[in-house]
Amino acid sequence: MGTKYRYVSPSLMAAMTASLALPVLAQGVESQDGEAPELVEVVGEREASTRSAPGADEINDSFGVGLSSADIGRSVTPVASWLLEAAAVEDIRDLQRVAPNTYSATGFGAPSLPTLRGQLGELFELGLRRQAGNNGLGIPLSFNSVEQVDVVRGMPPVLLGATQRTGGFINLQPKRPSLTDSAGEVTVRAGEWQRYRTQADYSTPLIEGRSGLRVSYEHRDEGSFYDYSGFDSDNLFVSHLLRPDDDSEWLLSLEYYDVEWTDNAGINRPTQQLIDDGLYIQGQGVQPNGSRVPGAGSVVSPTGLVRIDRSNVYTDPLDINGAETLLLHSLYRVQLTDEVEFINRTYYEHLEREEIAQNSFVEIIDGADTFENRSEWYFGNTVAGVSLRYNDVLGYSQFTTEADLPVDLTGPLSNRRIPLTDAQKGRLVELRPGVFVSPGGQYDLDGDGAGDFNLSDTTDSTSLQSGLFLQHRQDLTDEVWITAGVRGDWYDVEARDPLAPEGVRAAEDSHSDFLKSGSASLHYRPQDTLTFYATAAYQESTSNSLGGGNVLGGDNRINPLNFATENELYELGVKYQPEGGNWYAEGTLFDQTRSLRNRDGSNSGIRTQGAELQLAYQGERLWANMGASYLDAHFDDSAAFQDASQVADAFDNSRPDIIEGTGAGAPNFTAFPASDARVPGIPEWSASAATGYRLNAAWSVGGSAVVTGEYPLDYLQTVEIPVQFTLNANVEYRFNQQQTALRLDIFNLTDEENWAPVFEGGYFGSTLVFPELPRYADLSLTHRF
């Protein structure tokens, strides 16, 4: 059979570590009768040896099976479960501690997708693309079910198929049951602001060597530093592994996730005074019609400049925001002959999401069902396969009346609430009492030749994606080989208006397209420890809306350009792992073009060039991961869009001592002409390090650091985020024969007042900025049995 998997029980690990002390204690000790005691040899492994050597973690599902980092002609970072725990990686943004070029916006306080090389990437699990909501505004990711995270920069390879986001992807390797040992772990944690979390994980064989079961449950009940914020979730993961014979296995898993969280827009009016000194300009905006309700074109007459509490963010206690999702994964593999292996992957997800915010934003996924099946045949160095992906989404959206800059956060809550006027309601459709959303099509009811409705992302759409792919490795010499692959995906898409106004026929349209992708890598390995590679890749990708659906444009047609985005990648790299395998180094140069879906549904081309470096060391007591990256990201002769052209547009010039306002009014939904301007919200350089050191059998210490270079927050570069850094530290004590551990984590140790973009692509760069958390602590107690 192909790749073999091994699970090491946590209790066995602890017993092995404790046993190391026995020979040392026995040295020089005599029995009571003066004779040397009987020598008892304890056979076991050091705890560190249960961790794979740097660069040796297998990266399955994406490029083939049984491949390590050194075998893949791409910049990759496998993050194993021990590193996730050691570096306290709890959400996608935390990956920047252990993987270069993963700096990201906050995704309105709950990121659902990774950012790689300055662009949103995709989320995969066992090599199949997961449903992740609408761009970065989706469902927070729970790591309860995760054993390993493979971070891959650049577009997905041909095995994975045409996608929407091509900056890179992460592939989740879920937890697997053991077929030999029963083991469990319980962790309870408490932190500041009344944040509590409990997790229980247990694995046991059902039939020794043949089948096993693993169950993991996590509950989070968390308050927040930020006003009117919180997080409440339950995640249940069940996995069953069946190995009926020595040549086949079937892994089946089920995950249920129920979560409520806060849509956190950070602090509005991001002037340089706010970034540098925490000073906020007061005054509620006034619309051209005199209304003080936040609306388009509002102008603020500044009334004061005060230091704002960083917890005073744009949230509302009456907002509703939650989601439920059910995921099913099946992975079946069988070794048919010595040279032929068959793998079948199946994925199903059902998603429901509802957000109704007091600022008039609405996003409701009334049901999104996604199914994918992929079959792969491995013939020695060749893999061929076929895949089928089906997506059906019913969703309602309304974001056309939001207005963030007019709001004075230092005033009453009524400042930030946007009740719709009768005129605004007339351009929307009432979904249910008091909830108004956009229709899924445009209609001219009064016959004046212009559409009478506001459009957003409302849709009832289905898509069927069928793909064929072929990938082959050809050895040219003992040191040189080529890996090349091609793929074609046929799309059939239908979209219709699920909520047409009375008296009109609901708009609908269909579209079919054929998307191509291919890649080729030249590898050169002059010695076992050193590999050079050069890669070129091409993919035609899609542009989708909420729930992965497809929307109708203002002409009630599906835009064919949504299926014609061309992405290119050129990458050079070197990977080095010396004999002994206790450290690993990787360096990369890249040139990549890809697209960004704008808030209005259009697409902007992005070109990035840069370099990445990562180092990993694994010793018996010390481990360390370091990374650095340089990123030059520009629009590729493409238009750009922003909520307002600059923050000064929101203010008049009545108080030039506070701000020299333009009086243009905001939001003004600015479209910048095609250019090669710098993409805002992305630092040109960043560096990170994470490390841990075991002092003795009981005590260990560790920490991490992230440093980012300065960058403009907005398109016109009127506001700049300076160089920032974050330091985290932890200390752990193990007792009870090392089966129990008490750990203290302190995050943002030096209490830096750091800032981050709220959303990818810079759309809100002139409107919102996110205040990172101050120094805070978590205390956790873990017992393994």
Side-chain angles (χ1 to χ4, degrees):
M1 187 176 167
T3 305
K4 304 295 183 182
Y5 296 88
R6 182 168 66 95
Y7 173 79
V8 180
S9 96
S11 59
L12 182 59
M13 287 166 47
M16 289 175 176
T17 307
S19 70
L20 294 175
L22 295 180
V24 177
L25 295 174
Q27 292 179 9
V29 179
E30 296 184 353
S31 63
Q32 292 182 355
D33 58 8
E35 296 181 0
E38 179 183 1
L39 177 63
V40 178
E41 180 180 5
V42 179
V43 179
E45 299 178 0
R46 294 181 183 270
E47 180 184 12
S49 69
T50 64
R51 303 170 180 169
S52 298
D57 290 301
E58 289 189 346
I59 300 175
N60 289 299
D61 311 318
S62 304
F63 298 88
V65 294
L67 301 176
S68 68
S69 298
D71 300 321
I72 297 172
R74 294 283 290 278
S75 175
V76 297
T77 307
V79 186
S81 58
W82 71 268
L83 185 54
L84 291 171
E85 178 181 353
V89 175
E90 297 171 356
D91 65 36
I92 293 177
R93 291 193 77 226
D94 294 338
L95 287 172
Q96 63 187 318
R97 299 172 189 164
V98 293
N101 238 339
T102 55
Y103 178 80
S104 67
T106 63
F108 287 90
S112 62
L113 290 167
T115 296
L116 299 134
R117 294 178 175 169
Q119 174 87 21
L120 278 175
E122 293 286 5
L123 175 64
F124 285 80
E125 183 171 342
L126 282 175
L128 299 173
R129 180 159 46 110
R130 279 182 48 164
Q131 171 65 264
N134 188 9
N135 287 332
L137 182 64
I139 306 167
L141 178 64
S142 171
F143 281 81
N144 176 55
S145 64
V146 176
E147 190 90 272
Q148 177 172 309
V149 179
D150 297 330
V151 181
V152 183
R153 285 159 283 272
M155 66 188 70
V158 296
L159 271 69
L160 305 186
T163 61
Q164 176 183 356
R165 308 164 188 96
T166 56
F169 65 95
I170 63 174
N171 183 50
L172 307 179
Q173 301 283 351
K175 294 175 177 177
R176 297 172 59 92
S178 170
L179 302 184
T180 57
D181 300 290
S182 294
E185 177 178 306
V186 176
T187 299
V188 293
R189 185 168 64 193
E192 295 184 59
W193 312 303
Q194 296 182 323
R195 293 178 300 111
Y196 306 104
R197 185 180 305 188
T198 303
Q199 185 181 46
D201 185 0
Y202 184 72
S203 174
T204 185
L206 300 177
I207 302 176
E208 185 78 16
R210 291 301 181 190
S211 70
L213 181 70
R214 187 165 183 176
V215 179
S216 186
Y217 171 74
E218 178 190 67
H219 175 69
R220 295 173 62 177
D221 182 5
E222 301 181 357
S224 175
F225 162 76
Y226 305 109
D227 293 345
Y228 314 118
S229 297
F231 195 102
D232 190 354
S233 70
D234 291 280
N235 184 283
L236 176 64
F237 175 77
V238 181
S239 177
H240 177 250
L241 177 61
L242 176 65
R243 189 169 292 163
D245 52 54
D246 293 338
D247 294 322
S248 63
E249 70 173 31
W250 184 29
L251 178 66
L252 184 66
S253 63
L254 180 69
E255 180 178 358
Y256 171 74
Y257 188 34
D258 182 10
V259 57
E260 295 180 0
W261 75 101
T262 301
D263 183 342
N264 188 340
I267 297 177
N268 65 345
R269 304 179 181 178
T271 63
Q272 198 64 52
Q273 293 169 300
L274 177 67
I275 302 302
D276 295 342
D277 304 313
L279 297 178
Y280 184 83
I281 301 175
Q282 296 176 295
Q284 184 75 356
V286 179
Q287 293 188 49
N289 63 6
S291 171
R292 295 176 64 86
V293 174
S298 295
V299 177
V300 180
S301 296
T303 60
L305 188 65
V306 298
R307 184 170 180 84
I308 190 172
D309 194 310
R310 292 170 63 87
S311 65
N312 186 4
V313 292
Y314 201 159
T315 54
D316 195 299
L318 299 182
D319 285 353
I320 297 172
N321 194 22
E324 285 185 87
T325 185
L326 181 71
L327 298 98
L328 173 68
H329 274 90
S330 169
L331 173 61
Y332 176 74
R333 50 195 304 156
V334 57
Q335 192 77 36
L336 299 173
T337 69
D338 290 342
E339 291 294 322
V340 180
E341 182 178 10
F342 172 73
I343 298 178
N344 182 265
R345 308 172 191 272
T346 302
Y347 151 77
Y348 169 75
E349 179 175 4
H350 176 77
L351 166 66
E352 295 182 2
R353 162 167 160 70
E354 179 163 294
E355 177 174 4
I356 302 174
Q358 296 301 304
N359 69 344
S360 77
F361 176 82
V362 177
E363 182 167 288
I364 297 173
I365 298 178
D366 219 7
D369 293 281
T370 308
F371 170 84
E372 184 171 358
N373 181 270
R374 186 168 81 235
S375 295
E376 306 162 10
W377 288 267
Y378 290 82
F379 308 94
N381 289 333
T382 302
V383 54
V386 58
S387 71
L388 186 70
R389 182 179 177 89
Y390 174 79
N391 188 69
D392 182 4
V393 58
L394 174 61
Y396 307 95
S397 177
Q398 149 58 5
F399 52 68
T400 61
T401 56
E402 282 183 88
D404 299 328
L405 274 172
V407 171
D408 184 350
L409 290 180
T410 65
L413 283 174
S414 58
N415 277 5
R416 58 188 78 177
R417 293 174 176 169
I418 304 179
L420 299 177
T421 65
D422 289 340
Q424 289 172 326
K425 292 177 182 178
R427 296 188 61 84
L428 302 169
V429 179
E430 191 169 23
L431 176 65
R432 52 181 184 251
V435 178
F436 289 83
V437 298
S438 297
Q442 186 59 274
Y443 307 94
D444 179 14
L445 301 183
D446 56 14
D448 64 353
D452 296 329
F453 294 89
N454 295 344
L455 297 185
S456 51
D457 279 347
T458 296
T459 186
D460 179 8
S461 64
T462 58
S463 65
L464 183 63
Q465 174 186 355
S466 51
L468 292 171
F469 59 88
L470 178 69
Q471 180 176 286
H472 177 71
R473 166 178 165 157
Q474 180 63 51
D475 294 329
L476 303 180
T477 69
D478 290 341
E479 296 84 19
V480 180
W481 72 94
I482 293 176
T483 302
V486 293
R487 176 167 177 144
D489 285 277
W490 181 258
Y491 264 86
D492 281 308
V493 179
E494 294 181 358
R496 60 201 66 84
D497 182 358
L499 200 64
E502 291 185 9
V504 300
R505 180 180 177 182
E508 60 181 326
D509 191 26
S510 61
H511 180 76
S512 298
D513 224 317
F514 182 70
L515 306 184
K516 302 174 291 295
S517 59
S519 65
S521 298
L522 176 66
H523 308 252
Y524 172 52
R525 184 170 289 170
Q527 50 186 300
D528 291 341
T529 59
L530 183 65
T531 305
F532 298 91
Y533 72 88
T535 294
Y538 172 84
Q539 184 189 100
E540 295 172 348
S541 62
T542 64
S543 180
N544 305 97
S545 63
L546 79 166
N550 296 272
V551 295
L552 299 173
D555 59 356
N556 289 339
R557 308 285 293 179
I558 298 172
N559 189 348
L561 296 180
N562 289 343
F563 300 86
T565 302
E566 298 182 344
N567 305 272
E568 296 178 354
L569 169 66
Y570 301 95
E571 187 169 309
L572 299 173
V574 57
K575 306 186 180 190
Y576 180 63
Q577 184 165 12
E579 303 247 353
N582 61 347
W583 70 280
Y584 174 83
E586 179 178 307
T588 308
L589 299 174
F590 64 88
D591 186 327
Q592 184 172 326
T593 59
R594 58 194 188 276
S595 71
L596 166 75
R597 182 179 190 267
N598 299 307
R599 185 179 171 87
D600 68 349
S602 63
N603 295 285
S604 295
I606 306 291
R607 181 173 184 178
T608 59
Q609 297 171 307
E612 294 148 351
L613 175 67
Q614 48 186 329
L615 303 170
Y617 173 79
Q618 176 67 68
E620 292 191 9
R621 289 184 173 227
L622 174 70
W623 65 267
N625 274 62
M626 292 168 283
S629 60
Y630 168 76
L631 181 66
D632 181 17
H634 287 78
F635 290 98
D636 189 17
D637 190 24
S638 187
F641 299 83
Q642 210 164 248
D643 184 60
S645 63
Q646 57 182 317
V647 66
D649 288 351
F651 303 96
D652 62 27
N653 201 31
S654 61
R655 291 289 304 273
D657 57 315
I658 295 178
I659 187 172
E660 295 182 0
T662 69
N668 49 42
F669 313 113
T670 302
F672 297 102
S675 73
D676 60 354
R678 180 178 176 182
V679 178
I682 305 171
E684 279 191 331
W685 64 268
S686 61
S688 63
T691 186
Y693 183 75
R694 182 159 296 284
L695 301 171
N696 52 45
W699 290 96
S700 63
V701 295
S704 62
V706 177
V707 186
T708 55
E710 61 187 15
Y711 60 89
L713 188 63
D714 61 320
Y715 181 90
L716 295 177
Q717 303 187 27
T718 64
V719 177
E720 186 174 86
I721 303 295
V723 174
Q724 300 184 142
F725 72 91
T726 305
L727 298 177
N728 307 310
N730 64 78
V731 59
E732 182 181 85
Y733 177 74
R734 295 188 181 187
F735 53 97
N736 189 24
Q737 296 182 336
Q738 299 206 22
Q739 290 182 309
T740 306
L742 184 66
R743 171 167 164 157
L744 174 66
D745 280 275
I746 301 178
F747 300 94
N748 193 7
L749 185 65
T750 57
D751 202 20
E752 302 299 310
E753 294 188 344
N754 293 332
W755 302 91
V758 168
F759 200 62
E760 305 289 343
Y763 182 83
F764 290 104
S766 61
T767 305
L768 303 167
V769 68
F770 197 88
E772 301 272 22
L773 288 170
R775 179 173 54 234
Y776 65 102
D778 278 353
L779 185 65
S780 61
L781 180 67
T782 300
H783 178 68
R784 298 177 173 91
F785 55 92

